[in-house]
Amino acid sequence: MEKRAKLYEGKAKILYATDNPDCVIQYFKDDATAFNAKKKGTVDEKGIMNNAISTKVFEYLGQNGIPTHFVRQLSDREMLVKKVEIVKVEVIIRNRAAGSLCRNYGVTEGRTLSAPVLEFCYKEDAFNDPLMNETHILALDIATASEIATIRELTFKINELMKKFFLALNIELIDFKVEFGRHKGEVILADEISPDTCRFWEVGTGVRLDKDRFRHDLGNIKEGYQEVLKRVTGKAA
Ligand code: UDP
């Protein structure tokens, strides 16, 4: 696998072309941003930890019938993935209230939700990733009705699978964000799944094991990611 030109640099990852036109390399950085990049920093070895955690989660989801862009882990910071055209919506599922749900609706953090909440946000930093519904997605030609149906169905399945996966590690999946992409006419799970994109609370103690440690200056940020890594891989960082 030959690494070629840089295609795109995002907030937490860089994408490189390869000698295979169907595949790209995702390189995981240590950069961390929050609140639409108003807060910036780095977390030592975050890229290594997120690559390893994402690899495990994508492998598990793939084994359980979720089509993903994951091909294989190439190195500590690099993952080979299928090249996709990203659907410009961030898809969020919430199992318990946290973050913007509390801010937008005046809900107490940690409140159990009677059913999972599915949210779509327009993936556009310039507009602060605003919430949108399915009629916006259709009206603005962001995705077709059939793509939206696939995304809904896959996201609810991903939630059930991930809740089970993390609960077995004594971690409660509070909420998460996923992104999808088009590859050869199919909508598949893309991007990453890590403590940057999920809220993970330790069962029993409620200790935050995710990016909220960075967002809210809770300290021991690296240790939170390390703890997830240790549980997911069975190895220390
Ligand atoms: N999330 C993400 N990227 C975003 C926005 C949200 O990965 O650009 C994740 C976030 O980590 C959390 C979930 O989506 O697990 C719900 O995020 P929320 O809207 O509560 O985010 P906040 O506004 O609190 O950062």
Side-chain angles (χ1 to χ4, degrees):
M1 182 55 54
E2 194 185 308
K3 188 169 171 181
R4 296 206 173 149
K6 188 199 266 197
L7 297 174
Y8 171 80
E9 178 154 6
K11 286 175 282 194
K13 294 187 293 295
I14 306 174
L15 291 185
Y16 294 94
T18 70
D19 51 346
N20 179 345
D22 290 332
C23 289
V24 295
I25 293 171
Q26 283 201 133
Y27 176 97
F28 288 74
K29 303 192 284 183
D30 289 345
D31 297 346
T33 60
F35 310 118
N36 200 22
K38 283 194 267 296
K39 180 177 173 119
K40 288 191 178 129
T42 58
V43 178
D44 181 42
E45 297 196 340
K46 176 171 79 71
I48 297 173
M49 298 186 281
N50 281 357
N51 190 23
I53 294 165
S54 259
T55 291
K56 286 287 175 196
V57 177
F58 281 140
E59 282 173 350
Y60 162 77
L61 293 175
Q63 285 156 9
N64 285 279
I66 304 294
T68 83
H69 72 158
F70 178 79
V71 179
R72 65 178 186 273
Q73 189 175 356
L74 291 175
S75 69
D76 61 352
R77 288 180 184 272
E78 291 169 320
M79 178 189 284
L80 186 67
V81 296
K82 293 176 187 165
K83 186 172 188 176
V84 298
E85 179 203 352
I86 286 285
V87 178
K88 283 187 68 173
V89 281
E90 300 195 340
V91 187
I92 291 171
I93 287 257
R94 302 175 182 278
N95 296 307
R96 270 170 86 167
S100 64
L101 187 87
C102 300
R103 292 198 298 276
N104 291 340
Y105 302 100
V107 176
T108 310
E109 190 186 49
R111 174 169 154 182
T112 303
L113 303 172
S114 302
V117 171
L118 174 71
E119 289 176 356
F120 298 110
C121 294
Y122 187 36
K123 188 174 153 56
E124 191 53 80
D125 286 343
F127 303 118
N128 251 322
D129 296 347
L131 262 173
M132 55 175 19
N133 66 33
E134 295 184 22
T135 68
H136 291 97
I137 298 176
L138 273 179
L140 303 177
D141 300 317
I142 294 168
T144 64
S146 124
E147 286 173 336
I148 299 170
T150 303
I151 288 171
R152 280 182 76 97
E153 191 188 324
L154 287 176
T155 306
F156 280 119
K157 271 192 201 157
I158 291 166
N159 185 41
E160 291 311 312
L161 288 167
M162 291 222 301
K163 275 199 300 191
K164 199 167 98 183
F165 178 85
F166 285 103
L167 207 52
L169 308 173
N170 225 28
I171 293 173
E172 186 176 346
L173 179 65
I174 304 302
D175 59 28
F176 64 92
K177 182 267 307 181
V178 281
E179 295 181 22
F180 292 87
R182 302 179 182 96
H183 178 81
K184 298 186 175 175
E186 196 194 357
V187 168
I188 62 177
L189 179 64
D191 194 51
E192 68 176 286
I193 296 185
S194 72
D196 272 9
T197 63
C198 305
R199 283 194 173 92
F200 294 131
W201 295 3
E202 185 177 50
V203 174
T205 65
V207 169
R208 276 37 171 187
L209 300 172
D210 57 61
K211 199 161 92 171
D212 270 353
R213 304 204 71 81
F214 169 76
R215 287 192 189 95
H216 304 299
D217 300 315
L218 301 179
N220 295 325
I221 303 170
K222 181 177 179 182
E223 287 74 10
Y225 286 73
Q226 270 174 332
E227 189 56 40
V228 176
L229 176 67
K230 194 171 88 185
R231 293 185 194 199
V232 164
T233 62
K235 286 184 287 204

